[in-house]
Amino acid sequence: MHYTPAPPDPKAPPVRINLLSDTQTKPTPAMREAMAKAEVGDEQVGDDPTTNELNARVADLLGKEAAVFMPSGTMCNVAATLAYCRPGDEILAHATAHIIAREGGAHAALGGFQITPLPGDDGQFAPETFRAALHPRTRYQPLQVLVSVEQTANIGGGTIWKKAALDEIVRIAKAHGLATHMDGARLLNATVASGISPRDMTAGWDSAWIDFSKGLGAPIGGAIAGSRAFIDDVWRWKQRLGGSMRQSGVAAAACIHALAHHVERLADDHANARALARGLSQINGVEVQAPETNLVFFKPDGAGVAGDRMVAELRKRGVMLAMMDGRIRACTHLDVTAAMIDEAIGHVRDIVRAA
C-alpha cells in the first residue's frame, strides 16, 4: 500500500494536529460565506455563472483555450486519458505517478490503456529516459500516444519538476507525435515555490489541471484546461463518468475564493514543512528528505522506532500522519500552524527518547 493512515481507534484522542494530507483542510468562514452567496444555475446546460467564471479563470491562469470544472483530480486524469487514447494505446509516466499508483487502475479498467512506468529519482524521470522508452511505430507494439508528469511529484517527496526538463519532454513528445498531460494536483505549490507562473510552467503542455481540494483549501473539485476541442472531448467523458453536475456554482465559488486568497499563502506551508524537516533532522537516527514544497518524508528506523509504530504513537497524542512507500509522510496545509509544527517535533523527540 502506498498510503496507509492509522486505522480508526475509538479510544484514540481527537486529532489536534492533522498532517495526514492537505486534503484534510476545512473551508474557512470566508470561503463558506462565498459558497452561500454563489449565483448558480444548471452546469450541464452551461447556465451556472459561477462555474463558468471559474473555468474562464483557470483557462487564463494556465494559458489554455478552455477549461472544465471536475468533481476530483482523479476524474481530471481519467477523463484526459480517455479523451486522448483508445484501447490498447500506451501512456508513459513515472513509476510512482498518481495515474499508476493511486487511481485504482481506472485507466486500464475504463480505457484499456497500457501505462509504461519510467524510472527516476524523486518521482521524476529524465528527458533522456523518456526518449529511450520511445519505440518505432509498428503493428507489433502499442501505439504510444501520451506522456504524463505529476507536478509536484507526491511520492517523490513533493519535488518540483524543473522548467527545463518539462520543456525538453514536450519537445521530445512533439517530435514523436505524442500528446502531453500535466497532473497538476499540487501545481500551484510548485509555482509558488519556484517563482514560475502557472502559465509558464504549463506552456507547451496540451493539457494541465489544478486541484482545489488540497493546499487551496476548497472542499471539492479540480479544473482541467486545454484546447477547446480537447475540453469538448473531456466534457463528453465527464458526462459518461457521472461527473456532470447541476448547481455546481456552490462548489465553484469555494475554488474562486481559493484562487483569490489561498495561493500566495502556500509559501507559509512550505516554510512550515522546512521547519518540520529541520526539527526532525536534529533528532538522532531520524532520516529526513529535504522538502521542496509542503511534503516532508522521514524514517525514524535509525532511532529504533519503526515507521508504523511512530505513526501509531503519534496518533495516541493527537497527531495524524501517514505511511507511504515505507516512509512517514507529513503534509503541511492551511490548517497547520507553526506552533503545531513545534509540538509535533516535540512528540517525535519524546517517542524516540522513550525507545
Side-chain angles (χ1 to χ4, degrees):
M1 294 291 289
H2 289 295
Y3 180 64
T4 52
D9 181 356
K11 297 180 180 179
V15 176
R16 295 180 299 101
I17 303 174
N18 195 333
L19 296 167
L20 181 70
S21 176
D22 40 12
T23 61
Q24 303 293 294
T25 55
K26 304 292 177 63
T28 63
M31 181 179 285
R32 288 178 180 271
E33 182 178 0
M35 296 169 71
K37 293 181 177 178
E39 186 178 354
V40 298
D42 189 337
E43 182 211 45
Q44 283 202 25
V45 296
D47 282 347
D48 192 295
T50 306
T51 301
N52 292 342
E53 178 185 348
L54 175 64
N55 290 336
R57 289 192 182 205
V58 171
D60 181 67
L61 181 72
L62 301 182
K64 308 302 180 189
E65 291 181 350
V68 58
F69 186 42
M70 304 287 266
S72 71
T74 292
M75 190 175 284
C76 287
N77 279 336
V78 172
T81 62
L82 289 167
Y84 282 123
C85 305
R86 297 294 175 267
D89 285 351
E90 182 178 353
I91 302 167
L92 296 99
H94 190 270
T96 63
H98 201 271
I99 62 171
I100 294 177
R102 294 294 301 146
E103 294 180 2
H107 307 271
L110 300 177
F113 312 138
Q114 173 175 303
I115 304 180
T116 296
L118 301 180
D121 295 336
D122 299 331
Q124 303 180 28
F125 55 84
E128 287 308 311
T129 300
F130 169 47
R131 188 197 302 275
L134 298 173
H135 55 67
R137 298 200 169 204
T138 75
R139 65 179 182 272
Y140 300 107
Q141 294 175 292
L143 187 64
Q144 294 178 315
V145 172
L146 181 67
V147 59
S148 177
V149 301
E150 183 183 342
Q151 180 75 302
T152 62
N154 175 16
I155 297 176
T159 57
I160 301 170
W161 285 80
K162 300 299 184 287
K163 182 71 166 66
L166 294 174
D167 290 346
E168 181 63 9
I169 290 168
V170 166
R171 193 187 70 77
I172 295 169
K174 296 309 176 187
H176 291 82
L178 276 72
T180 56
H181 173 69
M182 183 180 292
D183 172 339
R186 295 183 175 89
L187 171 62
L188 297 186
N189 287 92
T191 62
V192 167
S194 67
I196 299 172
S197 72
R199 178 182 288 253
D200 288 343
M201 187 72 81
T202 60
W205 290 79
D206 294 311
S207 56
W209 61 270
I210 56 176
D211 197 315
F212 299 104
S213 67
K214 291 188 171 69
L216 296 184
I220 190 174
I224 184 170
S227 70
R228 293 190 186 281
F230 170 76
I231 294 302
D232 284 345
D233 286 342
V234 168
W235 240 114
R236 183 182 300 278
W237 280 108
K238 174 179 173 175
Q239 187 78 33
R240 287 170 171 169
L241 295 169
S244 187
M245 298 173 279
R246 297 299 182 183
Q247 288 72 38
S248 58
V250 174
C255 303
I256 292 173
H257 180 87
L259 286 176
H261 300 284
H262 293 173
V263 175
E264 291 184 3
R265 64 144 309 281
L266 290 171
D268 298 337
D269 300 339
H270 302 162
N272 282 335
R274 290 192 297 272
L276 177 61
R278 186 166 54 250
L280 292 173
S281 67
Q282 293 171 358
I283 303 172
N284 288 336
V286 176
E287 177 186 338
V288 187
Q289 179 178 348
E292 295 184 15
T293 49
N294 69 321
L295 303 181
V296 179
F297 282 79
F298 67 100
K299 294 180 70 173
D301 303 62
V305 185
D308 54 356
R309 179 185 164 196
M310 175 65 74
V311 170
E313 290 296 322
L314 286 169
R315 181 64 188 89
K316 294 176 183 177
R317 298 164 182 245
V319 182
M320 182 172 282
L321 300 95
M323 287 296 297
M324 187 172 288
D325 270 18
R327 299 177 295 168
I328 300 174
R329 190 190 78 168
C331 184
T332 58
H333 50 79
L334 63 84
D335 290 341
V336 175
T337 66
M340 291 177 180
I341 294 298
D342 290 340
E343 183 180 342
I345 294 168
H347 287 310
V348 173
R349 184 180 294 111
D350 291 345
I351 293 168
V352 167
R353 284 174 178 169

